[in-house]
Amino acid sequence: MDPLFIALSGMLIIVACQFVAPKVRVASPLILLAVGLAIGFLPQVGAIEVEPHIILEMVLPPLLFSAAVRMPTMDFRREMQAVAMLAIPLVFLSAFAVGFVIHWLVPAVSLPWGVALGAVLSPTDAVAVSIAKRSGVSHRIVTVLEGEGLFNDATSLVLLSAAMSAGLAADSHALNPGLLIGKVALALGIATVIGLVVGELGVRVRSFIKEPSSDTVFSFVMPFIASIPAEHVGGSGLVAAVIAGLVVSRRRASAISATNRRFSQHNWQTMTLVLEGGIFLTMGLQAFGIVEEASAVGGGLGFAAFLAVALGALIMVIRALFIALMLAWLDHRRQHRQRRFDAEAERIDYFEQRMNEACAVDGDMLEARNLSPEQWGLALERFRRRLSRRERRNALRATDLDYFANEPLGPREGSVIVWAGMRGAITLAAAQTISSHAPLRGYLLTIALFIAAGSLIIQGLTLPGVIRVAKPQMASGDIPEEERAKLLKVMGSALVDTALAQAIHEVDGQTLLSAGVSRTLSRIGHAVSHDGASDGDRIARTADRVLSDILQDVGAPEGETHEGLRPRCDDETDETVGETRETGEQHGDHARGTVDMSGEDVERSFTREQIRELALEAIHAQREALLGARDAGIFSSAALEDALARLDYEEILLVSGHGQEH
């Protein structure tokens, strides 16, 4: 059959399943798996086999890179301990437990090959994340599941390679846990270094690329630039791609242009849809060939199904016990952090008191200590810097503790994490890399197929029901009003020292209005000049409306408006806008700190291009303020992403309007 016809048919099936999934309330990967199984077992369709390296080396790196770019680095930092425990020790425990059990039940399968099968069955599938998101569980559960999926694939594949080497050498001593942990640590270390370098260099290169299409093409290449060298020097290519993606996630808001960010984001969504859909469709199509190979082995498919049920149950029991212990340990760590925070807060208070006393030192005491006032001043400055660093660290610890308190991981949340640990397409792809010299290879592949397909179908279909029964903490649909108000205050305060605020103070607002430069610059001008440029609260209330009207005034060619393109804040009503306009008119003749200019002078001083530059500079200042708040952990990742996206679309609107004018 023509490969082009197969590819086109596959894409159409992916689109159709994506359309049907919301209507039947079933995740599209599960529908694709069912469609693939149905097609694969048709009499007219022969056995289909896909080279595993295509999935492991060509499909997985971009998928994991994309998932890492989407993950907020602030949340990943907070959940790093949980992710590391699920991605490394749980993988080892599951693999060795499966290895011992299958070696006991089927002596023909030696321990190394049993551990190899266990490594194949260890990685979880990302389809659970999409189901959990759609069910509305808390953001913390989703972050833990996403983080686990990013790294346990790589750990499993490194362990699989070591186990196969031991199996081919017929040396069970090569499975020494200490040696395996050393190999995994070395592979992760090499991959981390390469991923950091590729991510940082990639972001810097993308900062010079102005054309969105070229930037997207380069972003498509980045995961392979990280994964291929890592594999060649003994590291994990998948981990390298993930680390590079995390670097991009952290740096893209400050280094990559808004247009390029949003353009590549939409294109990556399309790419991810095609790759993920293709994996599950291919998984179903390959099932017939794997089952046919296993049926030729003595014992039949019934015994293979029994082994799949037994091993699948064993994996879930180990996962449940491990996660229960992990949650208890995390709670212990949270209490330990709370005690450290309280102790550090007391020390900071003590140091502040000492600082106040040190500032009151008189000349006689300095002379007694043989210190000049300049030397004492330098010593105090060094002490202030150290105290400031300790205060920032403790403030970050406080925001982390608030995060853990607001989104706890208890038994209810743990039950969801346990049941969401389903196996999938990665398990099947890894199974096919098992050497042809492995004993009962067909049986091993069939067991992997049964466990992957069975867990996807059973756990995937029942996960929403488990969530309803367990009743874990659910994500709040909207950003809280208190957090939204704080965000607006931070964004508004960032405008105080911008050129936009300075320009407003230099020109009387009514003169600007009569000159027709901007109907809102006058409004904000009176607010700022009347209350003072240092009044951040006043600016915060008006900053959103200022940029909104500038976008309408100068963001597009003459005669065009963009009303509604920029989301209005919840507290911004027509009534408040009217009140602000009225206030501006009342104070128009009494603004302080302004310069009388004629309309012609204003038009010469503030062209559309200059006002556009002022607005862009204000947007950049707000973005820097939000990134600083992100590093301090003040706001939730959802609120920050929403605010940063708004700024991106504002910047795109201004830049695109400038391009149309020229």
Side-chain angles (χ1 to χ4, degrees):
M1 190 175 293
D2 186 4
L4 179 60
F5 174 78
I6 296 176
L8 293 176
S9 300
M11 290 186 182
L12 291 177
I13 292 173
I14 292 171
V15 172
C17 292
Q18 195 74 14
F19 175 77
V20 171
K23 300 182 181 300
V24 298
R25 296 184 178 181
V26 176
S28 59
L30 301 181
I31 301 177
L32 285 165
L33 175 62
V35 171
L37 288 169
I39 295 175
F41 279 89
L42 289 176
Q44 298 84 359
V45 179
I48 297 175
E49 183 176 355
V50 177
E51 292 294 330
H53 74 85
I54 294 178
I55 295 178
L56 298 178
E57 299 176 10
M58 299 178 64
V59 176
L60 280 187
L63 280 180
L64 295 179
F65 176 84
S66 175
V69 171
R70 294 194 304 269
M71 173 172 284
T73 53
M74 177 180 65
D75 295 341
F76 179 76
R77 176 187 61 79
R78 287 168 169 166
E79 303 299 343
M80 188 177 296
Q81 292 180 337
V83 169
M85 295 178 70
L86 293 174
I88 300 178
L90 180 57
V91 168
F92 273 81
L93 286 175
S94 301
F96 274 88
V98 168
F100 281 111
V101 170
I102 196 170
H103 176 59
W104 174 57
L105 294 175
V106 186
V109 178
S110 62
L111 180 60
W113 292 113
V115 173
L117 177 63
V120 164
L121 300 177
S122 297
T124 55
D125 200 275
V127 66
V129 177
S130 62
I131 297 175
K133 282 183 177 179
R134 191 170 61 250
S135 300
V137 299
S138 69
H139 181 73
R140 192 177 179 190
I141 295 177
V142 173
T143 302
V144 171
L145 292 175
E146 284 184 332
E148 179 188 13
L150 286 177
F151 286 96
N152 65 0
D153 295 346
T155 306
S156 302
L157 293 176
V158 173
L159 181 57
L160 172 61
S161 175
M164 284 199 300
S165 298
L168 291 172
D171 182 11
S172 59
H173 296 290
L175 286 176
N176 183 289
L179 294 177
L180 289 179
I181 292 174
K183 289 183 179 180
V184 171
L186 179 62
L188 295 180
I190 293 173
T192 299
V193 173
I194 294 177
L196 289 173
V197 172
V198 171
E200 183 63 31
L201 292 179
V203 167
R204 295 190 180 190
V205 170
R206 292 179 65 182
S207 66
F208 293 104
I209 300 176
K210 304 305 180 185
E211 214 283 317
S213 299
S214 301
D215 174 76
T216 300
V217 171
F218 183 81
S219 71
F220 286 160
V221 178
M222 278 191 67
F224 300 104
I225 297 177
S227 64
I228 293 175
E231 291 288 349
H232 279 285
V233 296
S236 170
L238 298 183
V239 171
V242 168
I243 297 298
L246 291 174
V247 174
V248 173
S249 174
R250 179 173 180 80
R251 298 268 287 112
R252 60 175 177 165
S254 58
I256 303 173
S257 70
T259 304
N260 289 357
R261 276 197 304 274
R262 295 301 157 184
F263 193 87
S264 64
Q265 180 181 9
H266 292 308
N267 282 281
W268 268 105
Q269 289 175 349
T270 304
M271 174 72 77
T272 301
L273 173 64
V274 173
L275 293 178
E276 286 183 347
I279 285 180
F280 286 97
L281 185 60
T282 303
M283 178 180 173
L285 292 173
Q286 294 180 95
F288 174 74
I290 295 174
V291 170
E292 188 178 43
E293 181 180 351
S295 61
V297 182
L301 295 177
F303 188 59
F306 164 75
L307 290 175
V309 172
L311 295 177
L314 174 65
I315 291 173
M316 292 304 297
V317 169
I318 293 174
R319 181 176 179 85
L321 293 175
F322 185 89
I323 289 178
L325 294 174
M326 182 191 76
L327 294 183
W329 184 80
L330 289 176
D331 185 64
H332 171 73
R333 289 290 300 169
R334 181 189 61 79
Q335 296 176 11
H336 176 68
R337 288 183 179 182
Q338 183 67 55
R339 290 192 295 269
R340 285 185 59 190
F341 169 77
D342 295 338
E344 183 69 7
E346 292 180 1
R347 283 194 292 267
I348 289 175
D349 290 340
Y350 171 74
F351 289 146
E352 287 178 343
Q353 294 175 4
R354 291 287 304 274
M355 174 67 74
N356 294 333
E357 294 173 359
C359 292
V361 171
D362 56 19
D364 294 337
M365 183 174 293
L366 291 179
E367 186 176 354
R369 293 174 177 267
N370 197 25
L371 290 174
S372 66
E374 292 77 10
Q375 291 174 325
W376 185 245
L378 291 175
L380 287 178
E381 184 61 28
R382 287 194 298 270
F383 192 84
R384 288 192 187 95
R385 288 197 297 268
R386 291 174 56 191
L387 182 60
S388 177
R389 286 195 297 268
R390 297 187 72 162
E391 288 176 338
R392 286 196 298 269
R393 285 197 300 267
N394 217 40
L396 183 61
R397 189 177 291 127
T399 59
D400 290 347
L401 290 171
D402 290 340
Y403 167 80
F404 295 139
N406 294 332
E407 297 196 33
L409 286 182
R412 296 177 181 274
E413 291 76 21
S415 62
V416 174
I417 297 175
V418 170
W419 198 245
M422 60 192 71
R423 275 56 189 167
I426 310 306
T427 288
L428 190 61
Q432 294 178 66
T433 65
I434 294 178
S435 172
S436 59
H437 298 288
L440 303 179
R441 181 180 184 274
Y443 243 64
L444 299 181
L445 265 64
T446 305
I447 292 171
L449 172 64
F450 284 170
I451 291 179
S455 67
L456 277 177
I457 295 172
I458 297 173
Q459 293 173 245
L461 293 177
T462 58
L463 181 57
V466 170
I467 293 174
R468 288 194 296 270
V469 173
K471 296 180 180 179
Q473 182 174 0
M474 307 300 283
S476 56
D478 299 324
I479 301 172
E481 288 300 322
E482 181 181 357
E483 186 173 24
R484 187 187 296 274
K486 289 181 180 178
L487 267 173
L488 289 176
K489 184 175 182 179
V490 169
M491 296 172 69
S493 299
L495 291 176
V496 174
D497 296 326
T498 62
L500 175 62
Q502 298 300 322
I504 291 170
H505 277 288
E506 291 175 1
V507 182
D508 176 70
Q510 190 63 36
T511 306
L512 280 172
L513 185 64
S514 64
V517 178
S518 174
R519 62 179 177 276
T520 306
L521 288 180
S522 61
R523 187 173 69 213
I524 187 65
H526 294 305
V528 175
S529 60
H530 180 70
D531 291 339
S534 61
D535 189 354
D537 291 339
R538 183 69 172 175
I539 297 177
R541 289 194 298 269
T542 55
D544 193 71
R545 294 193 290 270
V546 171
L547 290 178
S548 180
D549 279 0
I550 290 179
L551 288 170
Q552 296 177 34
D553 288 338
V554 301
E558 294 288 354
E560 295 186 15
T561 62
H562 294 271
E563 188 70 40
L565 285 179
R566 186 175 189 270
R568 173 177 285 183
C569 296
D570 292 344
D571 59 345
E572 181 182 335
T573 62
D574 293 335
E575 182 179 355
T576 58
V577 172
E579 290 175 356
T580 310
R581 286 199 180 99
E582 183 179 352
T583 302
E585 292 171 1
Q586 291 174 357
H587 294 283
D589 298 329
H590 305 286
R592 295 183 290 110
T594 60
V595 178
D596 293 331
M597 299 176 68
S598 66
E600 294 180 356
D601 292 336
V602 171
E603 289 179 338
R604 285 195 299 268
S605 300
F606 294 94
T607 64
R608 290 172 60 85
E609 176 62 28
Q610 289 173 328
I611 295 180
R612 178 183 286 107
E613 292 299 324
L614 293 176
L616 284 173
E617 192 259 354
I619 290 173
H620 294 161
Q622 289 183 322
R623 182 180 290 115
E624 289 298 322
L626 290 179
L627 293 178
R630 178 199 65 183
D631 295 338
I634 299 174
F635 301 109
S636 66
S637 57
L640 284 172
E641 180 60 30
D642 179 70
L644 289 170
R646 288 180 58 187
L647 293 179
D648 282 351
Y649 288 121
E650 292 169 3
E651 183 176 341
I652 292 171
L653 190 59
L654 288 169
V655 173
S656 62
H658 174 68
Q660 292 177 24
E661 288 180 357
H662 291 79

